[in-house]
Amino acid sequence: MADEFAKGFGILVTAGLGWLMLAGWYNTPDFETQLTAPNPESVGVYGELALLLKDAFFWFAILGALTFWIIIPAIEQARDAIAE
């Protein structure tokens, strides 16, 4: 169980840091709307890729952590319960 927690925490921290970096770069026009401002409209090709990567980091952080913290332990407990 400890290794699943460590893997989920590693995914959460790493992907969360990637999301934080890109959201800080593209979604912080002023102090009041840090990280929550809407995406800029004309950022070019690399900016569009960065915004796509930002969304991927966010969902990978959430779903990756939930997978290792909830889904995998639940499957292991279900296997143990079925084996008994």
Side-chain angles (χ1 to χ4, degrees), residues 1 4-13 15 57-75:
M1 288 299 250
E4 279 90 7
F5 177 77
K7 290 174 189 174
F9 188 68
I11 288 172
L12 180 68
V13 168
F57 277 143
F58 175 78
W59 287 110
F60 182 63
I62 300 299
L63 296 176
L66 288 178
T67 298
F68 280 101
W69 291 346
I70 295 174
I71 295 173
I72 291 176
I75 290 172

Side-chain angles (χ1 to χ4, degrees), residues 5-83:
F5 177 77
K7 290 174 189 174
F9 188 68
I11 288 172
L12 180 68
V13 168
T14 306
L17 182 62
W19 174 84
L20 187 65
M21 179 187 66
L22 291 171
W25 187 275
Y26 287 102
N27 298 101
T28 305
D30 57 5
F31 186 74
E32 286 80 23
T33 58
Q34 290 182 359
L35 307 176
T36 58
N39 290 335
E41 300 214 358
S42 60
V43 291
V45 175
Y46 293 119
E48 290 293 330
L49 288 173
L51 292 174
L52 180 69
L53 187 62
K54 178 186 73 118
D55 291 338
F57 277 143
F58 175 78
W59 287 110
F60 182 63
I62 300 299
L63 296 176
L66 288 178
T67 298
F68 280 101
W69 291 346
I70 295 174
I71 295 173
I72 291 176
I75 290 172
E76 290 178 2
Q77 285 185 353
R79 284 183 185 165
D80 291 342
I82 290 172

